Amino acid sequence: MDKAKVILEGVEILKPIIFDVDTGIDDAMAMAYALNSPELEVLGFTTCFGNVPVVDSTRNTLAVLEKLNRRIPVYEGADQTLVRGRKKRYPKHVHGEDGLGNTLRFEPTIKASQGNAADFIIDQVQSRPHEITIIAVGPLTNIALAINKAPMIMSLVKEVVIMGGAVNVPGNVTPYAEANIISDPEAAHQVLTSGLPITLVGLDVTLQTYLLKSKLDDWRATGKESAEFLAEMTDYYMKAYENSHPGLGGCALHDPLAVGVAIDSSFVRTEWMNVKVVTEGEEAGRTIGQKDGEPRIRVCTNVESERFLKHFLERVI
């Protein structure tokens, strides 16, 4: 009755989310954006290997939360792929030795919660059927493990917003593959063909969202410790971008765009596609989208980049 009354009075109910991360630099920006967005109720973070090993991803997630002065449960997840074993190389040239642009000069005092990521996902989805949105900005291993353990949750998830893939554009790790997908192609293929209600926020749109270096001065000018922390790591990220994209003067907002889409889907235009992932050979990690075939997911094909960037900048610090 109370909940219905809130809806009738036109007050928007918070969107409950589970945020699955492999916390590097753009994950940290996405975390700040999500936690500063009143539309979202962040139930917990689940961590995965990806930008860094999972123990570092967990530590980084806790460190970002501590800098933001927030206490949200963090559950450690997969430390290796579904079938390929442990990831062999990590993108230290992009995210630094620590995954946060070599800014981590403290050990977080807050600790991860007991239990593992897949079980947390299962428990939350079962306790709040048809309510929870999962935002996934790393390899899709935790989600694959959850649906393998409890297939019934697939019909109970409201939506999964995934930062990953490159359907109509080249990859950023190989000519074919985007980083999150190639980190565990089998998990990605399983999730994208599972029938879950998915919105795929890939390089097709994230590479149209650029944060310019000059904005970091605005962050520092706030005098906030958290702003300096984010500015310093993002500066490192932008230098990595400068090496690969000379003259760009900034960086793409990959993971933050997934958060933006979860908040306001009108930031993007989408097309319904059946998306399969190549799991073998030279093209491993490639996401192939086709207009026919089932199941279909929403693939983002265009973005209102200026409107999204304004929204992000109003909230991230």
Side-chain angles (χ1 to χ4, degrees):
M1 180 68 74
D2 290 342
K3 192 171 183 181
K5 185 179 178 182
V6 170
I7 295 172
L8 288 172
E9 289 176 353
V11 178
E12 187 172 3
I13 294 173
L14 295 182
K15 176 181 283 191
I17 68 165
I18 296 170
F19 203 163
D20 192 68
V21 294
D22 59 335
T23 302
I25 296 167
D26 57 331
D27 304 70
M29 288 191 281
M31 288 176 63
Y33 183 25
L35 291 168
N36 290 328
S37 290
E39 300 89 348
L40 303 181
E41 176 193 3
V42 184
L43 303 175
F45 291 93
T46 51
T47 65
C48 188
F49 70 91
N51 290 320
V52 288
V54 72
V55 292
D56 295 342
S57 174
T58 302
R59 177 204 63 205
N60 291 353
T61 304
L62 294 166
V64 172
L65 286 171
E66 194 158 304
K67 282 288 187 181
L68 296 174
N69 197 27
R70 300 295 292 269
R71 297 294 183 268
I72 308 286
V74 176
Y75 291 85
E76 190 164 294
D79 64 352
Q80 58 184 299
T81 64
L82 279 187
V83 301
R84 297 171 182 240
R86 294 183 187 277
K87 186 173 178 177
K88 295 176 177 60
R89 290 191 299 275
Y90 294 93
K92 296 179 179 180
H93 62 293
V94 176
H95 294 275
E97 291 292 326
D98 60 9
L100 294 177
N102 301 331
T103 63
L104 198 58
R105 302 180 186 97
F106 68 100
E107 282 293 322
T109 58
I110 54 177
K111 304 298 181 186
S113 300
Q114 293 295 313
N116 68 69
D119 287 341
F120 175 72
I121 292 169
I122 294 165
D123 291 345
Q124 291 296 310
V125 170
Q126 288 180 330
S127 68
R128 299 180 71 165
H130 314 296
E131 291 185 26
I132 290 176
T133 295
I134 300 171
I135 303 176
V137 296
L140 296 173
T141 317
N142 286 333
I143 299 172
L145 290 169
I147 60 180
N148 284 342
K149 188 170 184 178
M152 75 287 293
I153 69 166
M154 288 191 293
S155 64
L156 302 178
V157 175
K158 181 180 180 181
E159 184 183 18
V160 185
V161 180
I162 295 169
M163 191 280 120
V167 175
N168 297 312
V169 297
N172 60 354
V173 174
T174 73
Y176 310 100
E178 180 274 330
N180 289 336
I181 303 299
I182 201 171
S183 289
D184 194 346
E186 286 78 14
H189 181 72
Q190 180 179 337
V191 172
L192 293 177
T193 59
S194 66
L196 280 165
I198 290 170
T199 300
L200 190 65
V201 185
L203 300 183
D204 305 73
V205 284
T206 65
L207 287 176
Q208 299 177 45
T209 62
Y210 285 111
L211 177 67
L212 295 179
K213 188 175 175 66
S214 59
K215 297 300 181 184
L216 303 186
D217 295 332
D218 297 339
W219 293 4
R220 292 186 168 106
T222 66
K224 295 180 181 178
E225 185 181 359
S226 58
E228 176 59 39
F229 184 53
L230 286 171
E232 186 180 357
M233 71 174 75
T234 304
D235 189 51
Y236 184 99
Y237 193 56
M238 288 178 173
K239 287 173 181 172
Y241 259 83
E242 191 64 26
N243 288 333
S244 58
H245 302 78
L248 182 65
C251 65
L253 292 169
H254 300 291
D255 295 352
L257 183 58
V259 174
V261 171
I263 297 168
D264 182 354
S265 62
S266 73
F267 283 134
V268 293
R269 287 204 297 274
T270 62
E271 294 182 20
W272 287 101
M273 295 186 198
N274 171 273
V275 179
K276 294 181 170 60
V277 180
V278 177
T279 57
E280 296 178 353
E282 181 186 358
E283 296 187 9
R286 182 175 185 175
T287 44
I288 299 174
Q290 298 176 321
K291 299 293 178 66
D292 55 354
E294 297 291 338
R296 295 191 299 168
I297 66 175
R298 296 167 67 94
V299 175
C300 296
T301 55
N302 216 321
V303 57
E304 293 185 27
S305 54
E306 289 303 316
R307 187 163 70 88
F308 159 69
L309 181 62
K310 181 175 184 291
H311 192 263
F312 168 79
L313 289 171
E314 286 171 348
R315 297 185 174 195
V316 66
I317 298 303

